[in-house]
Amino acid sequence: MSYFSMNTWSIHRHLGPLRWTVWNEEEKRHDTHVDPQPETTTLLELPAVLAEKGFGAVDVCHFHIPRTDAEYLVELREAFRSSGVAFHTLLLDYGDISSSDELRRASDMALAKEWIGIAAQAGAGHIRIIAGQAQPDSAEALERAYESLAELAAWAEKHGVRIVTENFRPLASTSANCLAIKSRLGDAIGLIGDFGNFVKEVRREELAAILPFCGSVHAKPEFDVEGRPIEAEFRDLLQLLPDSGYDGPITLIYDGPGDMWEGVERVRAIAKDYV
């Protein structure tokens, strides 16, 4: 049965600094760029807040995790356990495991393995790995993505975490490539379907194609200038969930102006008719 989850991006103006991972091409290494943001709720406090608001799970963007030492990750795991809110997916928001640059690919694979360990320590059930940054018509990049995802899936299994990928970034920006990845790797990896990541002109058809294979969805509508969801379009996409037999978490995303918690509730007010 479906239930509500939330993506931490929905309240990114409440959770403190964003710690973006970037590739330093000149130095051939990973750097972290810090984007200051207010912190009205800590990540350790968030599970209890979400429980009070009736959410069953959360997807956490990796740049919202302020520390990765063992002591902090144990605290985070306990915060989720005591709240009853599941840490569903750690969203690794960086990486190009399909890169033709062997050094870059090896570095990004090593970083992904590091974050798999972090996900395991924090109690996440899944970790989202980006399939690649290459254009979707690159057969060579897709082949490298198959190999990399298979390697990471085997690594994650040893840590009790499941690899998922998403229709996110160029390589997986078509349903054909998402389905090719699932066909090649089968149950070794899962799939997230994001409402907002396919090209708008074919969004409905592309999303309908992958939903039967998705274990979770990111329900992200488009918004008007005041932060109100474009309701008719959002409902059209939400209707695909029961039509496809989808019964996993519906992860709400608000990405508009104003108070973000209020924005989340505007999204939920529409999506509740499909749970």
Side-chain angles (χ1 to χ4, degrees), residues 191-240:
L191 182 62
I192 299 171
D194 188 296
F195 284 20
N197 289 348
F198 285 129
V199 175
K200 185 172 183 177
E201 290 74 17
V202 293
R203 182 174 296 163
R204 190 180 194 281
E205 294 79 4
E206 293 277 81
L207 187 61
I210 69 169
L211 276 177
F213 304 93
C214 289
S216 66
V217 297
H218 288 168
K220 179 172 62 182
E222 293 192 358
F223 303 93
D224 65 18
V225 294
E226 296 182 348
R228 294 185 298 253
I230 307 301
E231 184 168 346
E233 178 184 272
F234 190 35
R235 286 188 180 278
D236 189 42
L237 297 178
L238 286 164
Q239 185 58 46
L240 293 174

Side-chain angles (χ1 to χ4, degrees), residues 9-269:
W9 181 253
S10 298
I11 55 165
H12 68 268
R13 294 194 292 274
H14 290 280
L15 289 176
L18 308 177
R19 300 162 184 84
W20 302 102
T21 304
V22 296
W23 178 248
N24 183 327
E25 180 61 30
E26 183 177 347
E27 301 291 335
K28 302 294 184 182
R29 70 180 188 211
H30 298 117
D31 287 340
T32 300
H33 289 179
V34 178
D35 177 11
Q37 294 289 334
E39 186 178 56
T40 62
T41 303
T42 69
L43 189 60
L44 292 176
E45 294 167 341
L46 182 61
V49 172
L50 290 174
E52 290 179 3
K53 292 179 179 291
F55 286 90
V58 64
D59 286 0
V60 179
C61 300
H62 89 282
F63 48 73
H64 279 138
I65 298 179
R67 290 165 44 194
T68 57
D69 57 277
E71 181 181 359
Y72 179 82
L73 296 177
V74 168
E75 286 187 72
L76 186 58
R77 185 185 190 112
E78 176 57 24
F80 280 109
R81 188 203 64 77
S82 62
S83 72
V85 172
F87 186 170
H88 192 274
T89 303
L90 192 160
L91 302 168
L92 181 55
D93 209 61
Y94 163 87
D96 187 5
I97 59 171
S98 71
S99 177
S100 60
D101 179 335
E102 289 300 324
L103 177 59
R104 168 76 187 274
R105 183 183 177 194
S107 296
D108 285 2
M109 287 289 286
L111 186 72
K113 290 177 179 179
E114 179 182 336
W115 276 97
I116 288 168
I118 292 167
Q121 291 180 75
H126 309 78
I127 181 169
R128 192 275 312 278
I129 302 293
I130 297 168
Q133 303 284 0
Q135 290 305 302
D137 60 354
S138 174
E140 295 83 2
L142 194 58
E143 190 65 34
R144 289 190 292 270
Y146 295 150
E147 295 172 2
S148 297
L149 287 168
E151 180 180 336
L152 292 175
W155 180 271
E157 185 178 16
K158 297 175 184 177
H159 290 76
V161 178
R162 189 173 188 227
I163 295 289
V164 297
T165 194
E166 181 183 346
N167 59 322
F168 184 52
R169 302 305 188 204
L171 189 61
S173 64
T174 66
S175 63
N177 281 4
C178 291
L179 295 175
I181 291 169
K182 277 296 293 177
S183 176
R184 180 73 167 263
L185 299 179
D187 291 338
I189 68 161
L191 182 62
I192 299 171
D194 188 296
F195 284 20
N197 289 348
F198 285 129
V199 175
K200 185 172 183 177
E201 290 74 17
V202 293
R203 182 174 296 163
R204 190 180 194 281
E205 294 79 4
E206 293 277 81
L207 187 61
I210 69 169
L211 276 177
F213 304 93
C214 289
S216 66
V217 297
H218 288 168
K220 179 172 62 182
E222 293 192 358
F223 303 93
D224 65 18
V225 294
E226 296 182 348
R228 294 185 298 253
I230 307 301
E231 184 168 346
E233 178 184 272
F234 190 35
R235 286 188 180 278
D236 189 42
L237 297 178
L238 286 164
Q239 185 58 46
L240 293 174
L241 301 180
D243 289 351
S244 68
Y246 178 81
D247 65 354
I250 299 175
T251 304
L252 304 182
I253 297 182
Y254 178 71
D255 192 19
D259 185 279
M260 302 200 84
W261 281 115
E262 291 179 3
V264 169
E265 291 306 322
R266 289 194 292 272
V267 175
R268 178 155 61 169

